[in-house]
Amino acid sequence: MLVNFIEMLQEAKQEKYAVPHLNINDLEWTKYILEKCNQLQIPVILGVSEGAAKYMGGFHAITGMVKGLMKDLNITIPVCLHVDHGSCKENCLKAIDAGFTSVMIDASRYELEENIRITKEVVEYAHERGVSVEAEVGHIGGAEDNIVSTISNATLEDCLTLYNNTGIDSIAPALGSVHGFYKGEPNLDFETMKEISDNLPIPLVLHGGTGIPDDKIKKAISCGICKININTELQSVWSKAVREYLEENKNVYDPRKIIGSGEQAIKTRIEEIVTLFGTKR
Ligand code: 13P
């Protein structure tokens, strides 16, 4: 069933586990993720960045692909189709019109007032259509931010202001995590994470899940994180497997064999990830 994330994340918040947000890049990845999560009978959020949407042909191509796969593969788990880091209102609305069940509007590069204005407009359009909305406060950077400390962290006050003025359904506060591989040890602000979780009725999202040590993932979940975004890690295990396959099979040219040689690596890693997250149906 294609759903928004509201029910799945509320359950996760109550029962203290995290739902995986796994970024998709093509038909094969989507198929592997759906098959594995369906086998494990756990909910999943399929994250689609704007770059990945463009790569796959556009939002309509993706909703058609996901709906078709779910039907043909008899997928019975709740699946949320979510725009990851929607950069503007127009793109979020386009995805909603194409059938996405959830969007992240990332206006975190603006001042809070402007972030609120843009987010509110997306929420109004989305909620009228049963679509959930995530927003970001502070700024979650790339791995380079991990060492040059240009990260601007979120505060409880800013999170409350954004929530109260927009009615968003989940919030991604920047608290030290970054996208991509970490340079050094991730430095997460668990105290503020718990403070925000205790004072906001909506679930908290952790971006930059790749490379955070297991004990810190567990601590983040205990501090209120209900959705954890993973992208780089699946890309990394897939490319390693494909590279090895190509080294060992120099004469192969069938793209199905080449792309498919990464299937097991993705599926194995997903199982490890959701075991760590404690994800339940
Ligand atoms: P990673 O690529 O670090 O796993 O982060 C993914 C993410 O946060 C997508 O929004």
Side-chain angles (χ1 to χ4, degrees):
M1 207 189 352
L2 211 49
V3 295
N4 66 36
F5 65 56
I6 296 178
E7 211 172 301
M8 57 169 93
L9 293 192
Q10 271 166 1
E11 276 176 31
K13 188 171 166 116
Q14 266 166 23
E15 297 202 25
K16 290 213 176 288
Y17 61 83
V19 175
H21 159 130
L22 305 174
N23 285 77
I24 59 171
N25 292 289
D26 58 23
L27 178 137
E28 288 83 352
W29 285 54
T30 314
K31 181 168 172 274
Y32 305 154
I33 293 170
L34 289 174
E35 281 175 342
K36 189 68 200 178
C37 293
N38 198 55
Q39 186 206 334
L40 299 171
Q41 284 292 299
I42 51 152
V44 68
I45 299 170
L46 301 177
V48 183
S49 68
E50 289 177 347
K54 197 169 167 202
Y55 174 79
M56 287 184 269
F59 295 125
H60 286 97
I62 295 165
T63 47
M65 173 182 79
V66 171
K67 284 182 186 171
L69 283 171
M70 287 177 68
K71 194 165 185 187
D72 288 341
L73 300 172
N74 294 317
I75 302 297
T76 56
I77 49 165
V79 177
C80 174
L81 184 56
H82 176 81
V83 174
D84 188 25
H85 293 282
S87 62
C88 60
K89 177 185 162 187
E90 291 68 30
N91 285 352
C92 289
L93 268 49
K94 263 191 211 165
I96 294 170
D97 289 344
F100 274 60
T101 51
S102 187
V103 293
M104 174 192 192
I105 171 68
D106 180 0
S108 65
R109 63 191 177 283
Y110 300 110
E111 293 296 319
L112 186 61
E113 203 177 313
E114 182 65 357
N115 188 346
I116 288 171
R117 190 188 65 75
I118 297 167
T119 302
K120 192 166 185 260
E121 288 180 8
V122 174
V123 169
E124 277 165 10
Y125 193 85
H127 282 183
E128 276 172 16
R129 292 156 179 82
V131 169
S132 47
V133 181
E134 172 184 330
E136 178 172 322
V137 190
H139 182 66
I140 302 166
E144 68 284 0
D145 295 333
N146 198 22
I147 41 169
V148 292
S149 74
T150 54
I151 301 168
S152 86
N153 273 7
T155 61
L156 171 62
E157 196 188 344
D158 285 354
C159 289
L160 275 171
T161 308
L162 183 69
Y163 169 68
N164 288 329
N165 285 286
T166 59
I168 46 172
D169 305 295
S170 73
I171 192 160
L175 293 170
S177 66
V178 296
H179 297 110
F181 287 115
Y182 288 82
K183 296 189 175 135
E185 180 83 0
N187 184 16
L188 303 184
D189 181 353
F190 293 112
E191 208 177 307
T192 309
M193 199 181 280
K194 181 151 183 9
E195 191 191 18
I196 295 168
S197 175
D198 287 348
N199 287 282
L200 257 73
I202 51 170
L204 258 55
V205 177
L206 179 65
H207 280 248
T210 297
I212 299 180
D214 290 3
D215 59 328
K216 290 195 173 176
I217 290 281
K218 285 192 171 152
K219 184 146 192 211
I221 294 170
S222 77
C223 290
I225 292 291
C226 309
K227 167 179 179 276
I228 303 179
N229 292 15
I230 303 273
N231 183 22
T232 306
E233 196 165 346
L234 293 186
Q235 293 185 339
S236 169
V237 294
W238 179 83
S239 11
K240 183 168 179 283
V242 172
R243 200 168 284 123
E244 280 169 11
Y245 177 80
L246 285 172
E247 286 290 324
E248 286 162 16
N249 298 276
K250 296 230 187 269
N251 295 325
V252 73
Y253 52 81
D254 183 339
R256 294 168 297 183
K257 289 190 178 149
I258 297 171
I259 298 171
S261 65
E263 172 176 355
Q264 203 44 54
I266 289 190
K267 287 185 168 173
T268 303
R269 193 64 195 115
I270 290 174
E271 186 151 1
E272 289 165 0
I273 287 168
V274 301
T275 305
L276 175 65
F277 291 1
T279 319
K280 294 184 203 143
R281 172 83 198 246

